[in-house]
Amino acid sequence: MMPPDPASNHKPLIAITGATGGLGRAFAVECASRSWDLFLTDLAPAPLAILASSLETTYGISVVTHTCDLTDPSSRAQMFDRIRDESIRFWGLINVAGLDHEGPFFEQSDRQIRSILRLNIEATLGMIHELLPFRAPLTPFRIINVASLAAFYPMPVKATYAASKRFLLDFSLALREELRGLGATVTVLCPAGMPTTASCIAGIEAQGWMGQITTRDVGRVANQTLDAALAGRVIVIPGGVNRLLQILGGLAPASLVARIIFQRWTSARQKRNWISPAIPQVET
Amino acid sequence: MDNELHNHTYVVTGATSGIGLAAAEILVRRGAGVIGVGRSAERCKAVEAHLHHIHPDAPVHYLVADLSLQKNIHQVADEILNQLAGTGKPVLDGLLNNAGTFTYWMILTAEGIEMQWAVNHLAPFLLTHRLIPALQAAPLARVVTVSSGSHRHGWINWNDPQLRRCYNGLRAYGNTKLANILFTLEFNRRLGTGSAIRAFAANPGLVKTDIGMKGNPAIAGLVWKLRRSGGIPAEESARGIVYLLTEPSIQESTEVYWKHGIPQHASRRALDPAAATRLWVLSEKMCGLDGGNRHDAA
Ligand SMILES: NC(=O)c1ccc[n+]([C@@H]2O[C@H](COP(=O)([O-])OP(=O)(O)OC[C@H]3O[C@@H](n4cnc5c(N)ncnc54)[C@H](OP(=O)(O)O)[C@@H]3O)[C@@H](O)[C@H]2O)c1
């Protein structure tokens, strides 16, 4: 494990989980371009090192990296031990790490279902709970949780995922009130599709024009979300069309929305299987 | 088949399809040695065999590198320099910075850099830097960077040069092609008069290649298909580019921007010396060439 630059201990950091994925990277770059020092964590050490060294070179910031399997409580505990030992302080936390195994519930393994719950819910809550004591004094502590537009609807074939994001949405809104007195804010990001990986792009393609108009570039999403968090705003839904969908979705009965989504997905899957069958989707 | 470029060596990036492949073919036909750079090992191998077939005596060697990452650029530069050293004559007569890409959606590389900015602008900038020692060893050396008429749509916002915050694929493309000309302008200024190296930016014209279709949404590919139908074949475009790479008589020319071997007016923004210097300094910083800690090739 790499010893941190001692200088970085003096300035509070922003922690980002899932930092080397598409959206995580965009958040990291956006923070770096604002000259904020970073604490980046993800599963694999090599991509973390590449990203960190590039951000340090380009933006002249300091970056601490820590490889961690967030679904593993002991791996998380090691990370928090290190934070304690090195007295690292934070003024923000961006919970990007999350995953989905798309497909009908009964076709999924117990392990797959558990990994969604572990990463999307347990790890996110663990990060917030364990990092709050290490927040920097005198500055507001900014928490950003990445949920999804899926948080607003029951979503067949993404049932566990969408419900886990719903959990994060409700949890964030409640926690926000509890933390007011501590000078901490909670912002929850609910994006629609973002073209981050080849399989995401294939998914957007399969949705046709709907995919086109609901998709937002990650750079813009990251920038807009950080501004919103600094302003203490509560929910960020990038894209006018997506905000409209969220409002319309709220007007219809949830059972009807679920039925429509299932029909759309079935036809999208038929199209997508033409291109490449059974794409495992991992969103970070 | 002739041998007038016998004993000359050129590096061509993006030499596995389109304009780069056509340029490599012309060079090989004229007996030159070609070090091609491509991102797909499979295509590199196939093209290498094809070029050997065209001219069995011309030394052709392809190297595989995804130029979107600086780590790989350093690595391939080392390989090129080693390769040249291995011939006993570590001399490079020209570098054709041709690899280019268009991405409809904003993609960040693993190094956190917008894809088109990384491949179309920073890669030529960094690779040129790394190959300067070999270029300087040649009596006359050229650095030709393939820009585009689209540079006219370019307008670099210095607060967000990669357009991360308001990405538009076409505008980002135009910015990188504008950057190609600004790079060429500033490079020549820094080399000064009487340098063995001369840099030119080329507008290849509208060329029938697949550039707009690779990895982009079907609709963007369709628009490109329609547009390119009015284009010229890659071989025709490549002739004008190889001219810039090889023609001795234009060594002292002060023209920066050329189309089919004829000097052209670039946009006003492309000829702004202050912008050229500013871009240079920014690019040095982004490539770790400004004295700060740089990526290690290893
Ligand atoms: N076609 C036109 O009308 C036109 C007009 C103006 C300017 N240009 C410029 O001309 C140049 C050549 O374009 P083209 O039309 O010949 O397109 P092309 O056929 O797509 O060729 C581009 C080349 O660059 C390579 N490349 C792309 N990304 C790369 C990466 N990350 N690392 C390494 N190599 C990479 C490609 O490799 P693969 O073979 O593996 O795909 C290909 O060999 C580009 O700079 C383009 O901007 C073209």
PDB file of all heavy atoms in Angstrom, chain B residues 57-73:
ATOM      1  N   ASP B  57      11.071  -5.160 -50.479  1.00  0.00           N
ATOM      2  CA  ASP B  57      12.350  -4.667 -49.947  1.00  0.00           C
ATOM      3  C   ASP B  57      12.202  -3.514 -48.964  1.00  0.00           C
ATOM      4  O   ASP B  57      13.138  -3.205 -48.228  1.00  0.00           O
ATOM      5  CB  ASP B  57      13.260  -4.207 -51.093  1.00  0.00           C
ATOM      6  CG  ASP B  57      13.565  -5.343 -52.048  1.00  0.00           C
ATOM      7  OD1 ASP B  57      13.527  -6.509 -51.578  1.00  0.00           O
ATOM      8  OD2 ASP B  57      13.793  -5.075 -53.242  1.00  0.00           O
ATOM      9  N   ALA B  58      11.057  -2.855 -48.979  1.00  0.00           N
ATOM     10  CA  ALA B  58      10.900  -1.696 -48.087  1.00  0.00           C
ATOM     11  C   ALA B  58      10.724  -2.191 -46.657  1.00  0.00           C
ATOM     12  O   ALA B  58       9.903  -3.062 -46.393  1.00  0.00           O
ATOM     13  CB  ALA B  58       9.703  -0.856 -48.518  1.00  0.00           C
ATOM     14  N   PRO B  59      11.510  -1.658 -45.719  1.00  0.00           N
ATOM     15  CA  PRO B  59      11.369  -2.099 -44.335  1.00  0.00           C
ATOM     16  C   PRO B  59      10.097  -1.536 -43.704  1.00  0.00           C
ATOM     17  O   PRO B  59       9.955  -0.325 -43.564  1.00  0.00           O
ATOM     18  CB  PRO B  59      12.620  -1.547 -43.643  1.00  0.00           C
ATOM     19  CG  PRO B  59      13.223  -0.552 -44.575  1.00  0.00           C
ATOM     20  CD  PRO B  59      12.570  -0.659 -45.905  1.00  0.00           C
ATOM     21  N   VAL B  60       9.191  -2.430 -43.366  1.00  0.00           N
ATOM     22  CA  VAL B  60       7.915  -2.011 -42.780  1.00  0.00           C
ATOM     23  C   VAL B  60       7.756  -2.687 -41.439  1.00  0.00           C
ATOM     24  O   VAL B  60       8.017  -3.888 -41.310  1.00  0.00           O
ATOM     25  CB  VAL B  60       6.733  -2.432 -43.673  1.00  0.00           C
ATOM     26  CG1 VAL B  60       5.409  -2.116 -42.995  1.00  0.00           C
ATOM     27  CG2 VAL B  60       6.816  -1.747 -45.020  1.00  0.00           C
ATOM     28  N   HIS B  61       7.361  -1.913 -40.461  1.00  0.00           N
ATOM     29  CA  HIS B  61       7.154  -2.518 -39.153  1.00  0.00           C
ATOM     30  C   HIS B  61       5.997  -1.807 -38.464  1.00  0.00           C
ATOM     31  O   HIS B  61       5.974  -0.584 -38.414  1.00  0.00           O
ATOM     32  CB  HIS B  61       8.434  -2.395 -38.326  1.00  0.00           C
ATOM     33  CG  HIS B  61       8.391  -3.206 -37.089  1.00  0.00           C
ATOM     34  ND1 HIS B  61       8.605  -4.566 -37.088  1.00  0.00           N
ATOM     35  CD2 HIS B  61       8.131  -2.870 -35.813  1.00  0.00           C
ATOM     36  CE1 HIS B  61       8.486  -5.020 -35.862  1.00  0.00           C
ATOM     37  NE2 HIS B  61       8.193  -4.019 -35.061  1.00  0.00           N
ATOM     38  N   TYR B  62       5.066  -2.597 -37.947  1.00  0.00           N
ATOM     39  CA  TYR B  62       3.935  -1.981 -37.261  1.00  0.00           C
ATOM     40  C   TYR B  62       4.028  -2.183 -35.750  1.00  0.00           C
ATOM     41  O   TYR B  62       4.405  -3.255 -35.286  1.00  0.00           O
ATOM     42  CB  TYR B  62       2.613  -2.541 -37.788  1.00  0.00           C
ATOM     43  CG  TYR B  62       2.069  -1.698 -38.924  1.00  0.00           C
ATOM     44  CD1 TYR B  62       2.779  -1.576 -40.108  1.00  0.00           C
ATOM     45  CD2 TYR B  62       0.862  -1.006 -38.793  1.00  0.00           C
ATOM     46  CE1 TYR B  62       2.300  -0.794 -41.141  1.00  0.00           C
ATOM     47  CE2 TYR B  62       0.377  -0.227 -39.828  1.00  0.00           C
ATOM     48  CZ  TYR B  62       1.099  -0.118 -40.997  1.00  0.00           C
ATOM     49  OH  TYR B  62       0.625   0.674 -42.014  1.00  0.00           O
ATOM     50  N   LEU B  63       3.682  -1.141 -35.020  1.00  0.00           N
ATOM     51  CA  LEU B  63       3.657  -1.203 -33.561  1.00  0.00           C
ATOM     52  C   LEU B  63       2.230  -0.977 -33.088  1.00  0.00           C
ATOM     53  O   LEU B  63       1.501  -0.162 -33.666  1.00  0.00           O
ATOM     54  CB  LEU B  63       4.573  -0.124 -32.972  1.00  0.00           C
ATOM     55  CG  LEU B  63       6.055  -0.219 -33.364  1.00  0.00           C
ATOM     56  CD1 LEU B  63       6.811   1.029 -32.926  1.00  0.00           C
ATOM     57  CD2 LEU B  63       6.681  -1.466 -32.750  1.00  0.00           C
ATOM     58  N   VAL B  64       1.855  -1.688 -32.042  1.00  0.00           N
ATOM     59  CA  VAL B  64       0.489  -1.579 -31.543  1.00  0.00           C
ATOM     60  C   VAL B  64       0.452  -0.633 -30.345  1.00  0.00           C
ATOM     61  O   VAL B  64       1.179  -0.827 -29.371  1.00  0.00           O
ATOM     62  CB  VAL B  64      -0.047  -2.957 -31.113  1.00  0.00           C
ATOM     63  CG1 VAL B  64      -1.507  -2.850 -30.687  1.00  0.00           C
ATOM     64  CG2 VAL B  64       0.102  -3.958 -32.241  1.00  0.00           C
ATOM     65  N   ALA B  65      -0.367   0.406 -30.430  1.00  0.00           N
ATOM     66  CA  ALA B  65      -0.518   1.310 -29.292  1.00  0.00           C
ATOM     67  C   ALA B  65      -1.847   2.023 -29.383  1.00  0.00           C
ATOM     68  O   ALA B  65      -2.217   2.555 -30.436  1.00  0.00           O
ATOM     69  CB  ALA B  65       0.604   2.338 -29.262  1.00  0.00           C
ATOM     70  N   ASP B  66      -2.576   2.032 -28.288  1.00  0.00           N
ATOM     71  CA  ASP B  66      -3.768   2.855 -28.201  1.00  0.00           C
ATOM     72  C   ASP B  66      -3.296   4.238 -27.749  1.00  0.00           C
ATOM     73  O   ASP B  66      -2.888   4.434 -26.610  1.00  0.00           O
ATOM     74  CB  ASP B  66      -4.741   2.252 -27.198  1.00  0.00           C
ATOM     75  CG  ASP B  66      -5.990   3.107 -27.049  1.00  0.00           C
ATOM     76  OD1 ASP B  66      -5.963   4.280 -27.453  1.00  0.00           O
ATOM     77  OD2 ASP B  66      -6.993   2.602 -26.528  1.00  0.00           O
ATOM     78  N   LEU B  67      -3.359   5.173 -28.668  1.00  0.00           N
ATOM     79  CA  LEU B  67      -2.766   6.490 -28.413  1.00  0.00           C
ATOM     80  C   LEU B  67      -3.626   7.377 -27.524  1.00  0.00           C
ATOM     81  O   LEU B  67      -3.292   8.541 -27.306  1.00  0.00           O
ATOM     82  CB  LEU B  67      -2.496   7.199 -29.741  1.00  0.00           C
ATOM     83  CG  LEU B  67      -1.498   6.480 -30.664  1.00  0.00           C
ATOM     84  CD1 LEU B  67      -1.436   7.173 -32.024  1.00  0.00           C
ATOM     85  CD2 LEU B  67      -0.114   6.442 -30.038  1.00  0.00           C
ATOM     86  N   SER B  68      -4.729   6.838 -27.008  1.00  0.00           N
ATOM     87  CA  SER B  68      -5.546   7.664 -26.119  1.00  0.00           C
ATOM     88  C   SER B  68      -4.910   7.776 -24.732  1.00  0.00           C
ATOM     89  O   SER B  68      -5.293   8.632 -23.950  1.00  0.00           O
ATOM     90  CB  SER B  68      -6.970   7.109 -26.012  1.00  0.00           C
ATOM     91  OG  SER B  68      -6.951   5.854 -25.378  1.00  0.00           O
ATOM     92  N   LEU B  69      -3.939   6.894 -24.429  1.00  0.00           N
ATOM     93  CA  LEU B  69      -3.286   6.947 -23.118  1.00  0.00           C
ATOM     94  C   LEU B  69      -1.820   7.362 -23.245  1.00  0.00           C
ATOM     95  O   LEU B  69      -1.068   6.778 -24.033  1.00  0.00           O
ATOM     96  CB  LEU B  69      -3.363   5.586 -22.424  1.00  0.00           C
ATOM     97  CG  LEU B  69      -4.757   5.117 -22.034  1.00  0.00           C
ATOM     98  CD1 LEU B  69      -4.689   3.767 -21.351  1.00  0.00           C
ATOM     99  CD2 LEU B  69      -5.443   6.125 -21.111  1.00  0.00           C
ATOM    100  N   GLN B  70      -1.429   8.315 -22.445  1.00  0.00           N
ATOM    101  CA  GLN B  70      -0.050   8.825 -22.507  1.00  0.00           C
ATOM    102  C   GLN B  70       0.963   7.757 -22.150  1.00  0.00           C
ATOM    103  O   GLN B  70       2.062   7.712 -22.686  1.00  0.00           O
ATOM    104  CB  GLN B  70       0.093  10.025 -21.576  1.00  0.00           C
ATOM    105  CG  GLN B  70      -0.725  11.197 -22.064  1.00  0.00           C
ATOM    106  CD  GLN B  70      -0.679  12.381 -21.118  1.00  0.00           C
ATOM    107  OE1 GLN B  70       0.222  12.489 -20.294  1.00  0.00           O
ATOM    108  NE2 GLN B  70      -1.654  13.265 -21.248  1.00  0.00           N
ATOM    109  N   LYS B  71       0.569   6.898 -21.232  1.00  0.00           N
ATOM    110  CA  LYS B  71       1.416   5.763 -20.852  1.00  0.00           C
ATOM    111  C   LYS B  71       1.809   4.976 -22.104  1.00  0.00           C
ATOM    112  O   LYS B  71       2.956   4.592 -22.277  1.00  0.00           O
ATOM    113  CB  LYS B  71       0.561   4.957 -19.872  1.00  0.00           C
ATOM    114  CG  LYS B  71       0.894   3.591 -19.555  1.00  0.00           C
ATOM    115  CD  LYS B  71       0.111   3.203 -18.308  1.00  0.00           C
ATOM    116  CE  LYS B  71      -0.912   2.122 -18.420  1.00  0.00           C
ATOM    117  NZ  LYS B  71      -1.174   1.218 -19.416  1.00  0.00           N
ATOM    118  N   ASN B  72       0.848   4.740 -22.999  1.00  0.00           N
ATOM    119  CA  ASN B  72       1.134   3.985 -24.216  1.00  0.00           C
ATOM    120  C   ASN B  72       1.966   4.794 -25.203  1.00  0.00           C
ATOM    121  O   ASN B  72       2.737   4.233 -25.973  1.00  0.00           O
ATOM    122  CB  ASN B  72      -0.169   3.567 -24.903  1.00  0.00           C
ATOM    123  CG  ASN B  72      -1.040   2.710 -24.018  1.00  0.00           C
ATOM    124  OD1 ASN B  72      -0.569   2.197 -23.020  1.00  0.00           O
ATOM    125  ND2 ASN B  72      -2.305   2.570 -24.372  1.00  0.00           N
ATOM    126  N   ILE B  73       1.764   6.100 -25.219  1.00  0.00           N
ATOM    127  CA  ILE B  73       2.519   6.949 -26.149  1.00  0.00           C
ATOM    128  C   ILE B  73       4.001   6.904 -25.767  1.00  0.00           C
ATOM    129  O   ILE B  73       4.869   6.762 -26.624  1.00  0.00           O
ATOM    130  CB  ILE B  73       1.988   8.388 -26.144  1.00  0.00           C
ATOM    131  CG1 ILE B  73       0.529   8.392 -26.623  1.00  0.00           C
ATOM    132  CG2 ILE B  73       2.841   9.292 -27.033  1.00  0.00           C
ATOM    133  CD1 ILE B  73      -0.169   9.721 -26.496  1.00  0.00           C
TER     134      ILE B  73
END
